[in-house]
Amino acid sequence: MRKYNKETLTAFADNPAAVKAYSNAGYRQEGVLRQAGFRHGEFKDKVTMAALATEWCFNSKG
């Protein structure tokens, strides 16, 4: 029995290295939260990413 179904995270949209790292880890982009974060004195967009338990290969055993 799974204890979770979905794991979500956000990353600043102007940080392509983070978005790529999360994508390589199995997360998929779900959307953009406009001006959702404040950094370096200005509002920035954030990318919402998620991974579903059914998409992770190690969960195929249950």
Side-chain angles (χ1 to χ4, degrees):
M1 178 175 186
R2 276 188 232 125
K3 295 184 172 134
Y4 60 90
N5 184 53
K6 184 176 185 176
E7 184 71 29
T8 60
L9 61 85
T10 61
F12 282 100
D14 63 355
N15 187 352
V19 173
K20 183 177 179 181
Y22 294 134
S23 180
N24 289 341
Y27 287 81
R28 294 172 56 182
Q29 184 171 334
E30 292 195 323
V32 176
L33 302 171
R34 296 171 49 202
Q35 297 186 358
F38 191 80
R39 186 172 64 173
H40 304 301
E42 61 185 353
F43 288 98
K44 304 276 189 173
D45 293 350
K46 294 189 93 175
V47 175
T48 303
M49 302 181 81
L52 299 177
T54 57
E55 295 174 342
W56 290 351
C57 61
F58 63 84
N59 284 322
S60 61
K61 296 177 184 174

